[in-house]
Amino acid sequence: MVATKEAQKTVEDVTGEYKYGFVTDIETEKAPKGLSEDVIRFISAKKDEPEWLLDWRLKAYAKWLTMEEPTWAMVEYPEIDFQDIYYYSAPKSADDGPKSLDEVDPELLRTYEKLGISLQEQEVLAGVAVDIVFDSVSVATTFRKKLKEAGIIFCSISEAAHDYPDLMKKYLGSVVPVADNFYSCLNSAVFTDGTFVYIPKGVRCPMELSTYFRINEANTGQFERTIIIADEGSYVSYLEGCTAPQRDENQLHAAVVELVTHDDAEIKYSTVQNWYPGDKEGKGGIYNFVTKRGACRGKNSKISWTQVETGSAVTWKYPSCLLIGDGSVGEFYSVAITNNYQQADTGTKMMHIGKNTSSTIISKGISAGKSQATYRGLVKVMAGAENARNFTQCDSLLIGDQCGAHTVPYIEIKNPTAQVEHEATTSKISDEQLFYCLQRGLEVEDSVALIVNGFCKDVMQHLPMEFAVEAQKLLGISLEGSVG
Amino acid sequence: MVKILHLENPEIGKRFEAVRSSLTGWDQAWLDQLRAEAMTRFETTGIPGPKVEEWKYTNLGFLANENFAISNKARQQTEIKTLFDRAHMENIDGPVVVFVNGHIYPALSSYPDGHGISFAVFSENCQAFHPSLANIEYSSALNDLNRAMVTDGYSLEIAPDVVLAKPIQVIHIVTSATDMKLLPVRSQIIAGKKSKARIIETFIGAEGERYWSHMVSEVTLAAKAELSLVQFQLQGKQAIHMTELHTKVAEKANFSHISLQLGSEISRTELLNSFNGEFANVDLRGAYLGRIKQSHDIFTRINHDLPNCNSNQLYRGVLDEGGKSAFQGKVVVARDAQKTNADQSNKNLLLSRKAEANAKPELLIYADDVKCSHGATVGELDSNQLFYLRSRGLDEAAAKGLLVEAFVSEVFDDLDDEILRDKFKEKAAGWLAQELPS
């Protein structure tokens, strides 16, 4: 079992020491600690929101007070004191609204540079527009003009509430209802910012849209809300990536993402999640309780989720697809790596409602150290969903004998024409595999990287180019140009 | 909004008090006390509601609303004989134990005896059940309800090195009567070191009767023991049938369970296994066939706490018009249980529009050097296969029948006993014949 120890070390190198652990010192403007109607009014006022949105928030808050935290996930964490969290903080300079990068706080820019996503570079690099969320307020948006020419709306959710109230009213909460679950309800009450994307009919978004989320201020919960609407025949690829500074206290993140595709439209949503996972003793780290759901409302529409999850102390995340339109397609590709004391309970839901709908689920879990990774998924075929197809594969790789890998799939079929297949395996890196690589002159680290890479390949292939590099770094593997 | 996880029915407790002094062994103080304690636990726990994860696919709502009478010793001899003949396998020339409405029926029984076999019946010797009734390791709401109300049962102990030449048949018969009846029966089987035995249990009931048959079995296998438990469930179409089987399997022992679910409106089969020694094997398999309001629920939990053990689960379901099923399999591999092999396979065939199949093959793994896999599929008959058979001159019903039979037969094809295999085939084919009229 010598190899296993080495392997563990490699995975630690990959996910263990958090490279992005630093705190940027910027004055922030905070709402008082805790949650109350007043705090919600404060947030709403701060955002200069229309009356209907405030009402919407207050209704959500009233509902939230009656709800209980879910306990069914296989994760353990100390009870969260929801009154011990700041629900709003914004970089001070945001009030003036920087018109260009030059106006942006230089400290902020330096933070991004450390993260390797300097805006200048981003601007120069063709194809990517970045809407940066730094502690809950958008501070800079690029390429908007170019997108505007194509008729695409790409703005913060607060702006959308002002400028496109009709669209907001129509879609906000339409996929993830306010009372869907405890955290989505909390988010509905206190969401501070996020991204709003609308792709008009027949438009293929000329570039990949990307938002970098970043949690900075201590004790600030991050409550993002993302809405992406792809109108008839349109296409958009959206990238979401996250890093956060190192700190001791647990931070709560409860985001909501809503996707809607109309006839023949497609949304590809990719995530690289690398928030602070806590230290080696399991202290600190982000709590990531996210509700992500896409509704394929139109015929032949498609929603594809790809995620690489390496961070967070506790992850609770199930990007789902409602396949309503006939012939619609849902996909879920996931790699989840957990190390040390990380816990991840993640998976997907595929709800087959329309006829001839199909879905694919590929989930790869890698657990090392004392971590626990769980795949939890539901494939449901309703009585009217003729000819539904699903293929599910979830594989787990265990590195070390202190970790756990779990699979909890639910299959619920009410239509005989459905064809549903589910496969799962659990294994470890075999000594034979390692020996084979070593014998050919590879270092142990490289060998493990190679094997892990091979294990995850099915998923990595679906990542957009922009993310491939980061994912590569995160997995510590060389993809040898196989990702496109 | 507080979720109601457990349901209550205070009538059950009242009913218990009313019949307490007439229950089997009422004059034994220890038994009466254990019964009362079990009832208290049941009332404290409550009846698991549909929000309880384990009971997601079987609704116990009927328990909250209906009032059960404890079954009486009704003796409609001709009816008993008819049901007995349907269940009894004459060509297996072995001992037969018959229960009617949850009470032993000596007239048709011939108890197992001979060297190394201790056999006891609860109503004749309740002392033999003391350890099992006092042991609350397996305590759960329904187990406790069973414990409090238990009417009868059997206990079988096989001495080390004893090999039973003939299988033991146990037949549970429910006759027609008017009351909604509760039939709580228990059994305990202890297979000694290197012993070998097979038990065939058949549950059969009168049609059109609403009754709740609840059986709790505790099975222990000593090192190198071999035990095969076969269960045919042929209850009446309105019955509720539940079995709860706890097994403990020691070093190098082999336990196999094979079941066929055909009858009852609601059936639930719970198989809960733990290993007591290494290199032990557990094989669970079964077929469930359901239609019109029928719901079958297979619930397994295999705890691999020790290394080098194997478990295999193989379940096939066929659901037609209005039939519903659930397979909830759970394999838990503990930290030190290296070299575990665990496999779960669940396939379902939906024959009609209004059928429903649910599967939840769950793996919880805490050890790294293990081989665990599960597979689950749901689908309809392959149209190419159908076409092939029809092009060979078979009519549609015959072609379908052949394919369904082949699908189900995977469960019992490996059985080493030809008589049993034929019985499985006959029963399954009977269901299919009703199903697919030619």
Side-chain angles (χ1 to χ4, degrees), chain A residues 1 4 66 68 74 372 386 398 400-428, chain B residues 1-2 53 56-57 335 338 350-353 355-380:
Chain A
M1 300 292 280
T4 309
T66 67
E68 282 180 29
M74 283 195 52
Q372 303 291 334
E386 300 292 314
L398 292 138
D401 55 4
Q402 299 289 302
C403 52
H406 318 298
T407 320
V408 191
Y410 291 77
I411 300 161
E412 302 185 354
I413 311 299
K414 293 187 180 174
N415 186 303
T417 58
Q419 259 183 36
V420 178
E421 291 167 77
H422 175 98
E423 280 174 27
T425 61
T426 302
S427 53
K428 63 165 192 165
Chain B
M1 187 181 68
V2 178
E53 183 64 21
K56 192 174 155 71
Y57 299 107
R335 181 138 297 151
Q338 303 294 3
L350 300 185
L351 295 177
S352 124
R353 213 114 287 265
E356 177 182 341
N358 302 295
K360 186 189 167 197
E362 206 174 329
L363 290 172
L364 304 181
I365 296 162
Y366 296 92
D368 64 336
D369 191 7
V370 299
K371 260 210 230 135
C372 295
S373 59
H374 59 201
T377 63
V378 182
E380 58 181 345

Side-chain angles (χ1 to χ4, degrees), chain A residues 178-376:
Chain A
V178 170
D180 186 74
N181 66 67
F182 183 81
Y183 295 108
S184 74
C185 194
L186 175 65
N187 175 290
S188 302
V190 301
F191 71 88
T192 42
D193 213 339
T195 310
F196 182 88
V197 178
Y198 175 82
I199 315 290
K201 276 183 194 173
V203 173
R204 190 180 168 90
C205 186
M207 60 195 74
E208 266 162 340
L209 303 180
S210 150
T211 303
Y212 254 87
F213 294 96
R214 185 159 167 73
I215 300 174
N216 193 285
E217 191 70 12
N219 291 328
T220 310
Q222 186 97 348
F223 301 94
E224 302 291 342
R225 188 120 195 159
T226 303
I227 299 175
I228 302 176
I229 303 133
D231 216 326
E232 269 174 47
S234 65
Y235 168 86
V236 62
S237 168
Y238 188 86
L239 282 59
E240 174 202 57
C242 324
T243 57
Q246 192 158 9
R247 69 184 59 264
D248 279 336
E249 226 160 312
N250 290 305
Q251 293 179 306
L252 176 66
H253 181 96
V256 172
V257 176
E258 299 179 274
L259 310 183
V260 178
T261 52
H262 293 283
D263 288 0
D264 303 307
E266 178 178 349
I267 298 176
K268 184 176 165 66
Y269 194 103
S270 313
T271 310
V272 170
Q273 188 264 105
N274 184 29
W275 284 327
Y276 181 52
D279 65 14
K280 281 183 179 160
E281 273 69 53
K283 204 172 162 223
I286 304 282
Y287 292 170
N288 189 18
F289 301 130
V290 183
T291 308
K292 291 185 170 180
R293 193 173 302 156
C296 290
R297 297 225 172 116
K299 281 179 188 153
N300 303 320
S301 60
K302 179 176 172 183
I303 288 177
S304 173
W305 299 98
T306 308
Q307 59 172 26
V308 176
E309 301 275 328
T310 62
S312 295
V314 180
T315 303
W316 182 97
K317 180 181 175 187
Y318 314 92
S320 309
C321 295
L322 305 173
L323 304 171
I324 302 162
D326 291 351
S328 55
V329 177
E331 291 177 340
F332 176 75
Y333 301 103
S334 163
V335 169
I337 299 188
T338 54
N339 195 7
N340 298 324
Y341 284 89
Q342 275 178 275
Q343 306 170 68
D345 195 308
T346 181
T348 184
K349 275 187 190 179
M350 292 291 174
M351 310 286 281
H352 292 261
I353 300 160
K355 295 183 174 70
N356 302 314
T357 48
S358 67
S359 60
T360 307
I361 300 170
I362 310 276
S363 166
K364 306 278 180 180
I366 300 152
S367 15
K370 294 192 163 112
S371 67
Q372 303 291 334
T374 305
Y375 166 82
R376 188 184 299 274

Side-chain angles (χ1 to χ4, degrees), chain B residues 389-403:
Chain B
L389 290 176
R390 301 225 39 203
S391 72
R392 295 293 182 283
L394 270 73
D395 66 26
E396 189 170 344
K400 272 188 179 174
L402 201 63
L403 289 174

Side-chain angles (χ1 to χ4, degrees), chain A residues 433-450:
Chain A
Q433 282 174 326
L434 261 185
F435 176 73
Y436 181 89
C437 295
L438 294 176
Q439 179 226 26
R440 266 152 189 72
L442 290 176
E443 298 290 328
V444 176
E445 269 184 20
D446 296 338
S447 310
V448 171
L450 190 67

Side-chain angles (χ1 to χ4, degrees), chain B residues 381-390 396 399-400 403:
Chain B
L381 284 173
D382 186 332
S383 54
N384 287 331
Q385 292 174 355
L386 262 181
F387 176 76
Y388 178 88
L389 290 176
R390 301 225 39 203
E396 189 170 344
K400 272 188 179 174
L403 289 174

